[in-house]
Amino acid sequence: MLTLTMFFISLFHLLLPTTATFAYNATDIILLDCGAPSNTRSTLDGRNWVADISSRYSPFNDQNSSISSKASHQYSSVPTVPYLSALIIKSKFNYSFHVSPGPKFLRLYFYPEKYSTFNVATSFFSVTANSYTLLKNFSAHMHLMTNEDFLIKEFVVPVWDNEILNVTFIPSSNSYAFINGIEIVSMPSGLYLSGREIPLVAGVVGKSFSLDNITTSLETLYRLNVGGIRIENVKDTGMYRTWGQDEGYLVGSDWTSPLLNKSKPLQFTASTPAYTAPEEVYTTSRMMSNDSSFNSKASMTWKFSVDAGFYYLVRLHFCELLKEVTGPGQHVFDIFINNQTAEKCIDVFSMSGGNGFPMYIDYIVMADNGMQGKDLWLALHPQNAVYVDSFLNGLEIFKLNQSDGNLAGPNPDPISSPAPPVWHQRDEEN
Ligand SMILES: *[C@@H]1O[C@H](CO)[C@@H](O)[C@H](O)[C@H]1NC(C)=O
Ligand SMILES: *[C@@H]1O[C@H](CO)[C@@H](O)[C@H](O)[C@H]1NC(C)=O
Ligand SMILES: *[C@@H]1O[C@H](CO)[C@@H](O)[C@H](O)[C@H]1NC(C)=O
Ligand SMILES: *[C@@H]1O[C@H](CO)[C@@H](O)[C@H](O)[C@H]1NC(C)=O
Ligand SMILES: *[C@@H]1O[C@H](CO)[C@@H](O)[C@H](O)[C@H]1NC(C)=O
Ligand SMILES: *[C@@H]1O[C@H](CO)[C@@H](O)[C@H](O)[C@H]1NC(C)=O
Ligand SMILES: *[C@@H]1O[C@H](CO)[C@@H](O)[C@H](O)[C@H]1NC(C)=O
Ligand SMILES: *[C@@H]1O[C@H](CO)[C@@H](O)[C@H](O)[C@H]1NC(C)=O
Ligand SMILES: *[C@@H]1O[C@H](CO)[C@@H](O)[C@H](O)[C@H]1NC(C)=O
Ligand SMILES: *[C@@H]1O[C@H](CO)[C@@H](O)[C@H](O)[C@H]1NC(C)=O
């Protein structure tokens, strides 16, 4: 017991944000512990969450539209803050946040559990942020993966001159909404919504997208440290993004990921500043086998599940790490997205500035309503160069809002197989 406590104390100190110096200093950080009775520091990441009782962020609502409640159960994997307390919302409820202008990360934390007499399986609701619909008739319960106990939905929402971000919860008829935590963090204005032209893969020839910081909102679907470890939010560059692992999305061969060897520091540039992604994203990568003749006939392939009927922003992060690559044209490969050529003969060494220079490339792709609409494929195929190989360091996939401002997709189909309930495999704390 003592050792466990000591472990948590030391973990806690390791994660204290005051000791961190980030590549990006956020101008806005709001952490709201919805339905919580008092301000608390989270054991999850050492950050201070503000209690939402009679919060200055929700002054317009009548007292009867919501109640604070505590989850009936806390599974051992679930941090108390912000998950154990919730605001149960019975009729339309507004939060109003004053923030600086520019795009903001908006993260919604959900712990789908039983609260008082409210059965989470009957909770369906919509969430809007200013003019964007983020979630529609959403069931947090149905969105839980079988090995998960809680859920974080991350969005990027532009905020304009009035400097107000309104987040509104609207229960579906005869239902209720709930929310455990709300996080708002600013970002460098050009990071994702830069206004640069982004090519559309397999679209009308010459058509491109320009994601501006006035009309575009995004939902983050995937953010991966390809070939590397999971990177927790406090180890991000200051925006509290979490980077997962890519193994679960690989199709076919389980390609090797070489040991990183950072003999010299990464060379960040004006086009890829140090806040773009944590160094660990660029110092680890996934490569193919060391067998050239095998590689020349193969592709390194990932598959991601998406909602049909939306455009997606696909950001690929690269950094040439092979010390043997010393010049242009030695390590060249093709990029296919949804089986269409996105890039022919990409030469990261040339494009980035050399060995150890991080870079990223953006593409837009449509997931249409056809048979393949629910899958997004990424494949890298080597060209016949000195090193017959392809590689990837990191990946982000965002859903773009539709023309009416909607980002919401359907709830997942209920799992039809009679799998044993997951809570049988978990130990409960109470
Ligand atoms: C961020 O703020 C901290 C403390 O205010 C400062 O030490 C650091 O240099 C700043 N970093 C950047 C990139 O501005
Ligand atoms: C909540 O916000 C919406 C949209 O901004 C507005 O139409 C509605 O009147 C607001 N409701 C309250 C109670 O403030
Ligand atoms: C809130 O509910 C109480 C009891 O049901 C009722 O008396 C009161 O009028 C309600 N207040 C508002 C603003 O609707
Ligand atoms: C929006 O983007 C433009 C360039 O595309 C930039 O000049 C402006 O500062 C940005 N505004 C905000 C608030 O981020
Ligand atoms: C936010 O909500 C308030 C109160 O409902 C409303 O007056 C304001 O216009 C809204 N702002 C935006 C940007 O939707
Ligand atoms: C909400 O979603 C549930 C489950 O997907 C469905 O049964 C219900 O009809 C939907 N309600 C509305 C108003 O769309
Ligand atoms: C890293 O590089 C250094 C010098 O190039 C070498 O001595 C060391 O063995 C390498 N480590 C790994 C893990 O490859
Ligand atoms: C590939 O690596 C293995 C060991 O890691 C080695 O035995 C083999 O010879 C290498 N093959 C080539 C073609 O370099
Ligand atoms: C794309 O390629 C994958 C793997 O090669 C295949 O399973 C899938 O059906 C293809 N999709 C389309 C739309 O051709
Ligand atoms: C996103 O929604 C806005 C309206 O809020 C619209 O002007 C813009 O064109 C939409 N973006 C896309 C890619 O459809």
Side-chain angles (χ1 to χ4, degrees):
M1 202 56 217
L2 184 64
T3 50
L4 193 67
T5 310
M6 285 167 68
F7 169 75
F8 277 118
I9 289 171
S10 53
L11 185 70
F12 189 71
H13 281 285
L14 274 178
L15 295 176
L16 271 186
T18 45
T19 59
T21 55
F22 293 126
Y24 169 69
N25 277 347
T27 49
D28 301 279
I29 298 184
I30 295 171
L31 292 166
L32 196 61
D33 191 0
C34 302
S38 58
N39 298 353
T40 323
R41 176 170 277 181
S42 174
T43 52
L44 172 66
D45 55 19
R47 295 190 292 166
N48 292 312
W49 289 70
V50 174
D52 174 36
I53 292 292
S54 58
S55 157
R56 61 195 162 109
Y57 300 119
S58 52
F60 307 116
N61 305 281
D62 89 61
Q63 302 266 308
N64 293 348
S65 62
S66 69
I67 49 172
S68 297
S69 190
K70 193 165 175 276
S72 313
H73 295 282
Q74 179 180 22
Y75 295 108
S76 58
S77 66
V78 177
T80 301
V81 178
Y83 293 108
L84 213 56
S85 61
L87 197 67
I88 306 291
I89 296 167
K90 297 184 288 181
S91 59
K92 196 169 179 177
F93 187 95
N94 285 353
Y95 283 105
S96 198
F97 301 96
H98 284 259
V99 290
S100 62
K104 298 286 169 279
F105 280 116
L106 171 63
R107 301 191 179 102
L108 304 177
Y109 292 72
F110 299 105
Y111 180 35
E113 246 303 319
K114 192 170 185 290
Y115 295 94
S116 171
T117 58
F118 295 93
N119 172 7
V120 74
T122 63
S123 166
F124 291 92
F125 56 97
S126 300
V127 179
T128 65
N130 289 355
S131 58
Y132 298 96
T133 301
L134 309 182
L135 302 170
K136 206 187 282 176
N137 190 39
F138 171 74
S139 163
H141 174 69
M142 293 173 79
H143 274 81
L144 265 194
M145 301 289 186
T146 43
N147 57 350
E148 286 176 345
D149 295 319
F150 52 85
L151 187 69
I152 304 172
K153 299 288 269 180
E154 183 185 280
F155 302 92
V156 174
V157 182
V159 174
W160 275 100
D161 304 337
N162 59 15
E163 303 182 12
I164 286 185
L165 177 55
N166 283 337
V167 181
T168 305
F169 291 80
I170 308 150
S172 298
S173 56
N174 298 318
S175 191
Y176 70 95
F178 76 99
I179 179 73
N180 300 86
I182 299 177
E183 175 179 5
I184 295 170
V185 180
S186 58
M187 69 181 80
S189 73
L191 178 59
Y192 297 110
L193 308 181
S194 66
R196 281 192 296 269
E197 294 294 313
I198 305 174
L200 176 66
V201 176
V204 183
V205 174
K207 177 155 162 76
S208 63
F209 270 72
S210 158
L211 302 186
D212 62 75
N213 55 16
I214 305 172
T215 68
T216 316
S217 68
L218 308 171
E219 178 182 355
T220 312
L221 296 193
Y222 301 95
R223 178 176 290 121
L224 305 176
N225 177 17
V226 175
I229 59 167
R230 180 183 163 88
I231 302 172
E232 298 300 338
N233 60 356
V234 287
K235 299 286 177 68
D236 189 37
T237 55
M239 287 164 265
Y240 297 95
R241 299 167 299 177
T242 301
W243 300 74
Q245 295 186 284
D246 70 317
E247 271 90 349
Y249 307 100
L250 273 172
V251 181
S253 301
D254 191 6
W255 304 100
T256 62
S257 22
L259 261 179
L260 68 134
N261 195 346
K262 204 166 58 125
S263 48
K264 58 177 187 174
L266 294 174
Q267 302 291 309
F268 286 100
T269 58
S271 53
T272 309
Y275 58 65
T276 308
E279 291 207 352
E280 290 76 5
V281 170
Y282 293 113
T283 55
T284 53
S285 68
R286 187 174 295 284
M287 299 177 65
M288 301 179 77
S289 71
N290 64 353
D291 181 339
S292 301
S293 63
F294 181 79
N295 289 356
S296 66
K297 296 187 230 65
S299 294
M300 194 155 59
T301 307
W302 296 261
K303 187 174 88 165
F304 303 95
S305 138
V306 296
D307 290 329
F310 290 87
Y311 285 101
Y312 290 86
L313 168 64
V314 178
R315 171 166 295 188
L316 305 180
H317 297 267
F318 296 105
C319 183
E320 178 58 76
L321 294 173
L322 265 190
K323 284 198 293 291
E324 294 79 1
V325 175
T326 54
Q330 297 179 4
H331 199 183
V332 181
F333 53 94
D334 301 334
I335 301 173
F336 300 93
I337 299 179
N338 275 357
N339 306 7
Q340 307 283 335
T341 306
E343 196 87 36
K344 197 86 186 143
C345 298
I346 182 173
D347 179 350
V348 171
F349 185 99
S350 296
M351 278 182 83
S352 65
N355 208 308
F357 282 72
M359 63 170 265
Y360 63 86
I361 318 182
D362 289 343
Y363 303 98
I364 304 276
V365 62
M366 176 73 192
D368 61 28
N369 290 299
M371 281 294 285
Q372 304 291 329
K374 289 188 159 194
D375 289 332
L376 196 156
W377 294 81
L378 170 68
L380 307 180
H381 175 68
Q383 281 284 337
N384 208 351
V386 179
Y387 297 95
V388 184
D389 201 343
S390 59
F391 67 97
L392 182 65
N393 299 65
L395 167 146
E396 293 170 273
I397 298 178
F398 301 89
K399 186 197 270 185
L400 270 59
N401 71 267
Q402 291 169 331
S403 55
D404 61 355
N406 178 55
L407 274 167
N411 286 317
D413 296 331
I415 298 155
S416 51
S417 64
V422 286
W423 51 86
H424 285 178
Q425 294 145 26
R426 301 182 299 203
D427 43 341
E428 293 183 31
E429 277 185 1
N430 49 28

